[in-house]
Amino acid sequence: MKLRELLRGIEILSSTAEPDMELSGISCDSRSTAPGELFVAISGYASDGHRFIPMAVNRGAAAVLCQTPPAEDIPYIQVQDSRRALATVSRNYYHNPGAEMTLIGVTGTNGKTTSTLLLKHILEDSLGAKVGLVGTNGNWIGDMELATERTTPDSYTLQKLFRQMADEGCTHVVMEVSSHALDQDRVAELRFTVGVFTNLTQDHLDYHKTMENYAAAKAKLFSISDQGIINLDDPWAEYFLHQAKCPVSTYAIDNSSAALVAEAIRLLPDRVEFTAVMGEERQEIRLGIPGRFSVYNALDVLACCHALGISLEVSARSLSTAKGVKGRVEPVPTDGDYTVLIDYAHTPDALENVLRTVRETAPGRVVAVFGCGGDRDRGKRPIMGKIGTSLADFAIITSDNPRTEDPDSIIQEILSGVETDKSRYTAITDRSQAIAYAINRHQSGDVILLAGKGHETYQEINHVKYPMDEREIVAEILERRKEST
């Protein structure tokens, strides 16, 4: 593609590159730059891509898009914001695939994964649509799963993925849109038909520093959406309503002024049931995922589908056939009259929600195995320590993804928030040993919650991801118990 076509829509500060030069592609990683490509040097948060221009040149880059003119003898295009420009050149290179599909974005601290998967199910079930999905549990093109590294890919990878989805016949795309993605312009050059806000609780303050910054990043979704759906029960709802630059509809459990309200809620061991009320319309809803938070997930999905022209009746019918989500209150087989659940809860709010959900139906004790990730918001660690030990009958504090931190130091920060008696908790650094401790000491009727890993099948230590699938760990523990009897 010619350079002038790639640069369409970008304000250029200066340039030494020939507009008609042919480029073979785009790269923002000097390690994978190929001959003839345009290398985009991004000023990052961990490192500055301008430092790697020499490597990109050595690998055959034909030109550089940058914020500071390079010292190397290579054609360059200088722009004000190369990160933002990457989104534009990527859109141009892949011929704006997002415009060929209906895009739905879901943002919020908790509930994004379940909401997006439920939306995908309803769209496929009720419309017969082929739906693409971008999210924590993986990227999907219809029934084909693709690998993923983070909730929302960089803008180039995202445009490439959208091109593949459009070419494969997807008519809709449902996305988890993280605060990082919004703040770092990864979703720039996209226009969402509907944007959904689930909730806002403490998370990612290692990056955003304050809840106000975190909220401001999330609110950007409603400046690039045609319609907005907002949880009116959330304490930040008024902020999002005020910031929204598009028409907004609301949903709630407790706030009767919302456009869509849940009434007559029934929380059962294996599902939730309630009456969805929108104006004069009333519809009975059944969703096979337990917990009060599942009512909120169902509401945001119903409101979103209504905005897309799908009636409550049709959406309800599809929701009734939806399955549970991997790593979200997921039961795994055991060898006795006790239950083991795996859940992704890794924020204070999520841990509290899932523990309260388990508490509602547990026939015996609630045992929580949890930790906190390294290199992330340290402020939530004592909060989670307090929640985990106060809401569980017994807690085992352990390692999550320590990343570059000492797991024992993380555990000590979690313990600093614990206020319960020492007989109600212990600390075991090795996560596999912590799980074994819980299972080997179970009592009849116990519900053992393994919180924090969810769908993840690895543990990250010093930039290396080691295999760790809690389903396999439980199975191995049960096998050893069987052999010892």
mmCIF file with all atom_site columns, all heavy atoms in Angstrom, residues 150 194 299 329 382-383 392 403 420:
data_model
loop_
_atom_site.group_PDB
_atom_site.id
_atom_site.type_symbol
_atom_site.label_atom_id
_atom_site.label_alt_id
_atom_site.label_comp_id
_atom_site.label_asym_id
_atom_site.label_entity_id
_atom_site.label_seq_id
_atom_site.pdbx_PDB_ins_code
_atom_site.Cartn_x
_atom_site.Cartn_y
_atom_site.Cartn_z
_atom_site.occupancy
_atom_site.B_iso_or_equiv
_atom_site.pdbx_formal_charge
_atom_site.auth_seq_id
_atom_site.auth_comp_id
_atom_site.auth_asym_id
_atom_site.auth_atom_id
_atom_site.pdbx_PDB_model_num
ATOM 1  N N   . ARG A 1 150 ? -4.038  -10.372 26.010 1.00 0.00 ? 150 ARG A N   1
ATOM 2  C CA  . ARG A 1 150 ? -4.612  -9.396  26.925 1.00 0.00 ? 150 ARG A CA  1
ATOM 3  C C   . ARG A 1 150 ? -6.029  -9.075  26.509 1.00 0.00 ? 150 ARG A C   1
ATOM 4  O O   . ARG A 1 150 ? -6.461  -9.408  25.405 1.00 0.00 ? 150 ARG A O   1
ATOM 5  C CB  . ARG A 1 150 ? -3.763  -8.117  26.971 1.00 0.00 ? 150 ARG A CB  1
ATOM 6  C CG  . ARG A 1 150 ? -3.437  -7.519  25.613 1.00 0.00 ? 150 ARG A CG  1
ATOM 7  C CD  . ARG A 1 150 ? -2.453  -6.375  25.756 1.00 0.00 ? 150 ARG A CD  1
ATOM 8  N NE  . ARG A 1 150 ? -1.994  -5.906  24.453 1.00 0.00 ? 150 ARG A NE  1
ATOM 9  C CZ  . ARG A 1 150 ? -1.081  -4.964  24.314 1.00 0.00 ? 150 ARG A CZ  1
ATOM 10 N NH1 . ARG A 1 150 ? -0.534  -4.407  25.364 1.00 0.00 ? 150 ARG A NH1 1
ATOM 11 N NH2 . ARG A 1 150 ? -0.701  -4.571  23.107 1.00 0.00 ? 150 ARG A NH2 1
ATOM 12 N N   . VAL A 1 194 ? -23.245 0.031   20.268 1.00 0.00 ? 194 VAL A N   1
ATOM 13 C CA  . VAL A 1 194 ? -23.672 0.108   21.668 1.00 0.00 ? 194 VAL A CA  1
ATOM 14 C C   . VAL A 1 194 ? -22.457 -0.045  22.568 1.00 0.00 ? 194 VAL A C   1
ATOM 15 O O   . VAL A 1 194 ? -21.619 -0.924  22.357 1.00 0.00 ? 194 VAL A O   1
ATOM 16 C CB  . VAL A 1 194 ? -24.706 -0.990  22.016 1.00 0.00 ? 194 VAL A CB  1
ATOM 17 C CG1 . VAL A 1 194 ? -25.188 -0.805  23.462 1.00 0.00 ? 194 VAL A CG1 1
ATOM 18 C CG2 . VAL A 1 194 ? -25.886 -0.964  21.070 1.00 0.00 ? 194 VAL A CG2 1
ATOM 19 N N   . LEU A 1 299 ? -29.198 -8.147  33.060 1.00 0.00 ? 299 LEU A N   1
ATOM 20 C CA  . LEU A 1 299 ? -29.832 -6.858  32.771 1.00 0.00 ? 299 LEU A CA  1
ATOM 21 C C   . LEU A 1 299 ? -29.060 -6.063  31.724 1.00 0.00 ? 299 LEU A C   1
ATOM 22 O O   . LEU A 1 299 ? -29.660 -5.494  30.802 1.00 0.00 ? 299 LEU A O   1
ATOM 23 C CB  . LEU A 1 299 ? -29.962 -6.037  34.057 1.00 0.00 ? 299 LEU A CB  1
ATOM 24 C CG  . LEU A 1 299 ? -31.048 -6.460  35.047 1.00 0.00 ? 299 LEU A CG  1
ATOM 25 C CD1 . LEU A 1 299 ? -30.906 -5.680  36.348 1.00 0.00 ? 299 LEU A CD1 1
ATOM 26 C CD2 . LEU A 1 299 ? -32.438 -6.260  34.452 1.00 0.00 ? 299 LEU A CD2 1
ATOM 27 N N   . VAL A 1 329 ? -17.536 -18.942 38.728 1.00 0.00 ? 329 VAL A N   1
ATOM 28 C CA  . VAL A 1 329 ? -18.298 -19.844 39.597 1.00 0.00 ? 329 VAL A CA  1
ATOM 29 C C   . VAL A 1 329 ? -18.402 -21.214 38.915 1.00 0.00 ? 329 VAL A C   1
ATOM 30 O O   . VAL A 1 329 ? -19.468 -21.803 38.810 1.00 0.00 ? 329 VAL A O   1
ATOM 31 C CB  . VAL A 1 329 ? -19.695 -19.284 39.923 1.00 0.00 ? 329 VAL A CB  1
ATOM 32 C CG1 . VAL A 1 329 ? -20.235 -19.934 41.191 1.00 0.00 ? 329 VAL A CG1 1
ATOM 33 C CG2 . VAL A 1 329 ? -19.679 -17.785 40.116 1.00 0.00 ? 329 VAL A CG2 1
ATOM 34 N N   . PRO A 1 382 ? -4.779  -5.322  51.179 1.00 0.00 ? 382 PRO A N   1
ATOM 35 C CA  . PRO A 1 382 ? -5.370  -5.451  52.519 1.00 0.00 ? 382 PRO A CA  1
ATOM 36 C C   . PRO A 1 382 ? -6.899  -5.483  52.476 1.00 0.00 ? 382 PRO A C   1
ATOM 37 O O   . PRO A 1 382 ? -7.528  -6.133  53.321 1.00 0.00 ? 382 PRO A O   1
ATOM 38 C CB  . PRO A 1 382 ? -4.860  -4.209  53.258 1.00 0.00 ? 382 PRO A CB  1
ATOM 39 C CG  . PRO A 1 382 ? -4.416  -3.257  52.200 1.00 0.00 ? 382 PRO A CG  1
ATOM 40 C CD  . PRO A 1 382 ? -3.960  -4.110  51.060 1.00 0.00 ? 382 PRO A CD  1
ATOM 41 N N   . ILE A 1 383 ? -7.496  -4.817  51.485 1.00 0.00 ? 383 ILE A N   1
ATOM 42 C CA  . ILE A 1 383 ? -8.953  -4.831  51.353 1.00 0.00 ? 383 ILE A CA  1
ATOM 43 C C   . ILE A 1 383 ? -9.436  -6.243  51.057 1.00 0.00 ? 383 ILE A C   1
ATOM 44 O O   . ILE A 1 383 ? -10.402 -6.734  51.650 1.00 0.00 ? 383 ILE A O   1
ATOM 45 C CB  . ILE A 1 383 ? -9.406  -3.864  50.246 1.00 0.00 ? 383 ILE A CB  1
ATOM 46 C CG1 . ILE A 1 383 ? -8.958  -2.436  50.557 1.00 0.00 ? 383 ILE A CG1 1
ATOM 47 C CG2 . ILE A 1 383 ? -10.933 -3.912  50.076 1.00 0.00 ? 383 ILE A CG2 1
ATOM 48 C CD1 . ILE A 1 383 ? -9.199  -1.455  49.419 1.00 0.00 ? 383 ILE A CD1 1
ATOM 49 N N   . ALA A 1 392 ? -15.504 -15.607 54.493 1.00 0.00 ? 392 ALA A N   1
ATOM 50 C CA  . ALA A 1 392 ? -15.329 -17.067 54.464 1.00 0.00 ? 392 ALA A CA  1
ATOM 51 C C   . ALA A 1 392 ? -15.247 -17.590 55.894 1.00 0.00 ? 392 ALA A C   1
ATOM 52 O O   . ALA A 1 392 ? -14.826 -16.882 56.809 1.00 0.00 ? 392 ALA A O   1
ATOM 53 C CB  . ALA A 1 392 ? -14.067 -17.434 53.697 1.00 0.00 ? 392 ALA A CB  1
ATOM 54 N N   . ARG A 1 403 ? 4.290   -12.369 39.397 1.00 0.00 ? 403 ARG A N   1
ATOM 55 C CA  . ARG A 1 403 ? 5.039   -11.616 38.382 1.00 0.00 ? 403 ARG A CA  1
ATOM 56 C C   . ARG A 1 403 ? 6.444   -11.337 38.917 1.00 0.00 ? 403 ARG A C   1
ATOM 57 O O   . ARG A 1 403 ? 7.157   -12.272 39.238 1.00 0.00 ? 403 ARG A O   1
ATOM 58 C CB  . ARG A 1 403 ? 4.267   -10.366 37.966 1.00 0.00 ? 403 ARG A CB  1
ATOM 59 C CG  . ARG A 1 403 ? 2.898   -10.707 37.358 1.00 0.00 ? 403 ARG A CG  1
ATOM 60 C CD  . ARG A 1 403 ? 2.155   -9.484  36.847 1.00 0.00 ? 403 ARG A CD  1
ATOM 61 N NE  . ARG A 1 403 ? 0.903   -9.872  36.196 1.00 0.00 ? 403 ARG A NE  1
ATOM 62 C CZ  . ARG A 1 403 ? -0.266  -9.984  36.837 1.00 0.00 ? 403 ARG A CZ  1
ATOM 63 N NH1 . ARG A 1 403 ? -0.339  -9.716  38.132 1.00 0.00 ? 403 ARG A NH1 1
ATOM 64 N NH2 . ARG A 1 403 ? -1.345  -10.365 36.189 1.00 0.00 ? 403 ARG A NH2 1
ATOM 65 N N   . THR A 1 420 ? -9.858  -10.808 61.442 1.00 0.00 ? 420 THR A N   1
ATOM 66 C CA  . THR A 1 420 ? -10.514 -11.942 62.092 1.00 0.00 ? 420 THR A CA  1
ATOM 67 C C   . THR A 1 420 ? -9.516  -12.762 62.918 1.00 0.00 ? 420 THR A C   1
ATOM 68 O O   . THR A 1 420 ? -8.301  -12.587 62.829 1.00 0.00 ? 420 THR A O   1
ATOM 69 C CB  . THR A 1 420 ? -11.172 -12.855 61.046 1.00 0.00 ? 420 THR A CB  1
ATOM 70 O OG1 . THR A 1 420 ? -10.202 -13.226 60.066 1.00 0.00 ? 420 THR A OG1 1
ATOM 71 C CG2 . THR A 1 420 ? -12.307 -12.132 60.352 1.00 0.00 ? 420 THR A CG2 1
#
